[in-house]
Amino acid sequence: MILEREQWHLGYASLLRDCRGSPVDNRRGYGPGGGVPEDGSDSDSDDAPTGVGRALLLVHPDADAMATARILSYMLRADGVPYQLRPCLGWERMRKILGRA
């Protein structure tokens, strides 16, 4: 997905939707800043979202990419999205990382 800088929120919304599952989950207390049902029940209950995913962040180890990854990781953590951050130096390293996933 290629977006203009002013449209970053569309990409982030898509990432959240993919990781959280259906939009129905937001009505159950799995919204921004949450990740836990409002009634305080545990995540193993019957109303837990079934389509919860994890984000894999592949980051080139330079200053700008690392700063961006840090900001994105704070946002994901605040929204309760599990993620994994991996350094990636090029195409071969990316293939190796994705081959293990």
Side-chain angles (χ1 to χ4, degrees):
M1 174 184 312
I2 299 175
L3 299 171
E4 295 295 323
R5 186 178 357 179
E6 295 81 22
Q7 297 176 332
W8 67 269
H9 57 91
L10 298 175
Y12 188 71
S14 177
L15 181 109
L16 289 179
R17 190 172 45 252
D18 290 346
C19 289
R20 288 189 177 147
S22 68
V24 173
D25 295 338
N26 288 334
R27 287 185 264 137
R28 294 184 179 153
Y30 293 91
V36 178
E38 290 175 352
D39 62 0
S41 62
D42 62 353
S43 62
D44 294 331
S45 64
D46 293 336
D47 65 346
T50 57
V52 175
R54 175 180 297 166
L56 175 63
L57 305 177
L58 301 175
V59 181
H60 192 272
D62 66 12
D64 291 337
M66 296 297 282
T68 303
R70 185 173 184 177
I71 293 168
L72 184 57
S73 70
Y74 285 148
M75 292 171 62
L76 291 171
R77 194 174 316 142
D79 285 331
V81 175
Y83 67 93
Q84 196 172 42
L85 184 64
R86 298 287 184 136
C88 185
L89 293 170
W91 288 105
E92 291 302 317
R93 180 71 176 153
M94 183 180 72
R95 286 188 191 122
K96 187 176 180 180
I97 292 170
L98 293 177
R100 292 185 204 161

